[in-house]
Amino acid sequence: MKCNTTNVPPAAEIDIPALEEKYRQERELRVNPKGQKQYVKPVDDFSESYEVDPHTPLKERDAIVEDIDAVVLGGGWSGLLAGVHLKKAGVTNFRNIDHAGDFGGVWYWNRYPGIQCDNDGYCYLPLLEEMGYMPPKKFVDGYDIYDYIRSIADRFNLYEKALFHTMVSGLKWDDGIKRWRVTTNRGDEIRARFVVMANGLLNIPKLPAIPGIHEFKGKMFHTARWDYDYTGGSYRNPQLDKLADKRVAIIGTGATAIQAVPSLGKYAKELYVLQRTPSTIDERTNPPTDPEWVKTLKPGWQDERKANFQRAAIDTFQPGDPDLICDIWTELNRNLVAEFDQSGWPTSPEEYLAHRNVMDFRLMERLRQRVDALVEDKETAEALKPWYRFLCKRPCSNNEFYTTFNKPNVTLVDVSATRGVECMTEKGFVANGKEYEIDCMMFASGFEVTSDLDRRWGIETIEGRDGVSIYNHWADGYETLHGMMSRGFPNQFFVGFYQGGFNATTTETFSRQGQHIAYIIKEALSQGATSVEPSQEAQDAWVRHVRETAIDISQFQEECTPSYFNNEGESQVDSNGEKKFRWYLGESYGPGWDAFQKLMQEWRDKGDLEGLVVGKD
Ligand code: NDP
């Protein structure tokens, strides 16, 4: 299928210096001197709704006291895939532990109306060929993803030992027994030889620390704990009929709110959308999966598609590369290819980047023009326009978000001038000096992603050898071997974004890490090893290599509007006096995803666990 280029305005119509100045001003308006401190944990009024699982009743069980080969912390994608790879490697004596009532992670907790995966499901859902499954459409509904996750857990027999509704409270390395002592809120005392930290990226909801938040007498909840008892409808049938007599406000216009707002606008008596920074929102083409297309797919198609997505979204297309994904994530490169095919391909990286830069402004202009075409009220349309570089925030697509503002019951409240909602009162909220009375405040205010590690992991104690806390150990930055292990924390593995490669398909990143970790655990167990840990020398060399080869994106981050992508625009000065932004993708491996995978494959092929100290006592 040929993927068309989009109609971006010609370069001659774009005044780049004027736009740069506009982007700078809009950014300045939003940088909050409080940085991460502008957010709080969902405590006090929220503790119940955050801690309590509204989806699955809690089952009583006896505390578990045992020795086990491994504990995998988490049952979201990363924990699930670590489990799959452990099983494939022949390691079976392990448990996934999660505070949710089932596997699923974000797809367990997030059940708000309109929830869909925002990027290509044919890439995002892992193991499609192996599972013999094809998603019903490209942007898959949340409940289909949740069901698919459970089918994977079933297929790989991960339910057998999984512990749900169980929050790990402490992890302590006991050098005497060469095991991790894992304690939980259910009184368990598990002595695990290995621990895999697959505890997620978007698992801890955060709230804006709005003055007076606890004064409000109405209903409040975070979108990751949607209350269908209050709104009416259900996860699989979100007819929010109980909102017919309710005045509702939603804070935030990120990826979550964009999906929820159309349903709220349809059902609520009145809806206020409280916006600080607009998202970029393209149209979403999402027909049912074409069975004729499925018949054409050859074995290996999913890996090929992911590789194509990686080139389109992160790396660059080469001459002759088709765009198999064909959506907003790949548009920039697709448009460049079309123009290069006409006018000639660049002969240097500088020339390529210059073209890319201009295309970025043209693409953003197209997205702003889309707002004008769909939103009737001119002032509202103006406020909904995004003024920043593409990918400063997560790109969204939705066919109903903008037109929702044409409904008489829906009001956009622009709170950018006060860097957020001014305050809450008993009856509602105050914005731009005016009090709005509401019945319910919904928080689509995001998750702890780039905040300090203890806040984002939420586990009280994690102590490696000699009682050293991981939170102190990594306070000045990650120190790892391959982004997956750290000296002083034997037999502990990390899945996520630390110091490794990253793939445009998040689940691919997690899966490859799971595969690598499973290999090490299997090797250690078959050698009768009791501990594996990076040598200081190997770790230092890796940290040096990662930093020396890093691609410097600090200027891009500095110019971006604040968000969790760039630590709310807050930079830190490191020990060398250099300004650093904490990026949500960690210190990614500069030479790229393919280079990282090649390195890991060669490392495994050598078979000698190079750089790891293997203990057998
Ligand atoms: P985000 O962090 O992206 O958005 C939070 C929103 O809350 C922003 O619009 C933010 O404004 C706003 N906000 C925060 N504080 C205030 C305040 N004091 N006053 C007014 N507004 C405020 O969270 P989301 O839940 O939307 O998305 C988080 C991530 O979850 C996504 O980026 C994505 O990775 C993932 N996700 C994935 C989906 C998928 O399909 N795969 C679907 C949905 C989410 P500002 O921008 O100004 O900070």
Side-chain angles (χ1 to χ4, degrees), residues 524-538:
L525 286 173
S526 19
Q527 289 181 23
T530 50
S531 66
V532 281
E533 176 187 3
S535 69
Q536 191 64 52
E537 203 185 10

Side-chain angles (χ1 to χ4, degrees), residues 40 45-46 207-216 220 423-424 443:
V40 287
D45 297 359
F46 286 90
L207 297 175
I210 304 172
I213 193 168
H214 298 302
E215 307 293 317
F216 182 55
M220 295 194 273
C423 68
M424 289 189 72
F443 292 90

